[in-house]
Amino acid sequence: MTLRRYLDQRLKLHHLRAVDAIVAQRSLMRASTMLSLSQPALTKTLHELEEITGQRLFTRLPRGVRPTEAGTLLAESARRILAELRRLDETFDRLSELGGGTVAIGTLPVAATGVLPGALTRLTADHPGLHARLDQGRTEELLPKLAAGEIDLIVGRLYDPAMPDGFSREPLWEEPISILARTGHPVFHLAEITAAALRRYDLVLPTVSQRVGQEIEGVLSLMDMAPTGSLRSSSYGFIREMLHATDLISVMPRLMMAGDLLRGTLRVVPLPVPAPPRPAGLILPRDRPLPPAGLAFVACLRAHVAEIGQRGLATITVGYGSVGESDRTGSAARA
């Protein structure tokens, strides 16, 4: 006999928020803090959910909880429903505020400090009624949010997925691993910039994700530069200050310092070894169009990237200006 759960009548929004938070945090204590609830209140809500669904939703572990298959399914639905309600709220804002609206942007760390500030500055100037909501993370963290509608698009490095994932990827620019130094650095007065000459300078390196870190280590290895004694920091401001105030040089994705490169206070040191391609751009869902605020943001991003390209700071890729049809970046799309 089929069990009638009447979920449409019995499930409440606080149930959905609870299961979403517990799955995200993998801990009742952390989820209760996130929701500003007491842990007993959250435990009571979880018991209500399991009674309503007739399913065990989480497995208790020595430290934290793990969602069951039913818990994962419920959390995925909860995330989609909550995202739809947020988008509806933003749509109402757009109706009540002429020229208003919100674009929810997922951004990878390099893009967040590189091209995004300039694109958002343009968005604010061209569309003062529009707002941007940012969610920074790794690709594997942002793709589920894109699928659920929590964000409208993802900006940043385009990594080929292990398997086709149904998202459209549009390469817009290349963000190669480069050597950066202040404009008045002695390295620019050398007759020839060689790997041996670069090894005379100390390094300040970003603490970045594993993928980007491996790419930086790969370029350093090609130049036989040992990073063991280098300064490392996750602080963008600290690295900027050290580059501007000292003779340290850095190896990083070039557009992490896009603003300083555009202002001319930092320069790209010619790389004596070939750098592997690093396409970047947009990841978009195929099952829904961008909202008007999203289209306005993409136009501002393209304009900013075009300016960067005109200044010779980045290569604009073949895919520039049109949404890619493949969920793989593909070598044919690279300049």
Side-chain angles (χ1 to χ4, degrees), residues 299-318:
C300 291
L301 175 65
R302 287 180 174 143
H304 183 57
V305 168
E307 179 186 352
I308 292 173
Q310 289 164 4
R311 298 281 292 274
L313 300 177
T315 300
I316 307 303
T317 64
V318 173

Side-chain angles (χ1 to χ4, degrees), residues 40-100:
L42 183 59
T43 300
K44 179 182 176 183
T45 300
L46 178 55
H47 288 157
E48 289 174 0
L49 269 171
E50 293 186 326
E51 188 273 325
I52 291 170
T53 60
Q55 299 285 331
R56 186 181 182 187
L57 300 177
F58 293 92
T59 300
R60 276 65 171 179
L61 303 174
R63 301 182 67 177
V65 294
R66 181 178 62 235
T68 62
E69 182 180 3
T72 299
L73 289 172
L74 180 59
E76 289 173 351
S77 293
R79 196 170 294 123
R80 285 194 296 269
I81 293 168
L82 293 170
E84 281 296 319
L85 290 174
R86 280 192 293 270
R87 304 307 291 158
L88 180 61
D89 195 7
E90 291 162 358
T91 301
F92 285 152
D93 286 343
R94 190 167 66 247
L95 291 175
S96 60
E97 182 181 333
L98 184 63

Side-chain angles (χ1 to χ4, degrees), residues 129-174:
L130 296 185
H131 304 283
R133 175 161 52 83
L134 303 183
D135 192 338
Q136 182 174 319
R138 297 175 297 172
T139 303
E140 53 268 30
E141 296 168 342
L142 295 174
L143 287 178
K145 296 182 179 182
L146 184 62
E150 295 181 61
I151 54 179
D152 296 314
L153 73 167
I154 299 172
V155 180
R157 172 79 159 92
L158 298 179
Y159 295 100
D160 282 336
M163 297 178 63
D165 55 16
F167 295 109
S168 179
R169 286 165 170 79
E170 180 184 356
L172 296 183
W173 72 91
E174 291 274 345

Side-chain angles (χ1 to χ4, degrees), residues 13-52:
L13 286 180
H14 74 275
H15 292 133
L16 302 181
R17 294 190 185 98
V19 73
D20 181 38
I22 297 170
V23 168
Q25 299 297 321
R26 301 297 176 106
S27 162
L28 289 175
M29 183 171 64
R30 289 196 297 270
S32 64
T33 301
M34 175 182 173
L35 295 169
S36 298
L37 289 174
S38 67
Q39 190 168 334
L42 183 59
T43 300
K44 179 182 176 183
T45 300
L46 178 55
H47 288 157
E48 289 174 0
L49 269 171
E50 293 186 326
E51 188 273 325
I52 291 170

Side-chain angles (χ1 to χ4, degrees), residues 316-333:
I316 307 303
T317 64
V318 173
Y320 177 79
S322 62
V323 176
E325 293 299 323
S326 173
D327 54 6
R328 301 187 69 82
T329 306
S331 58

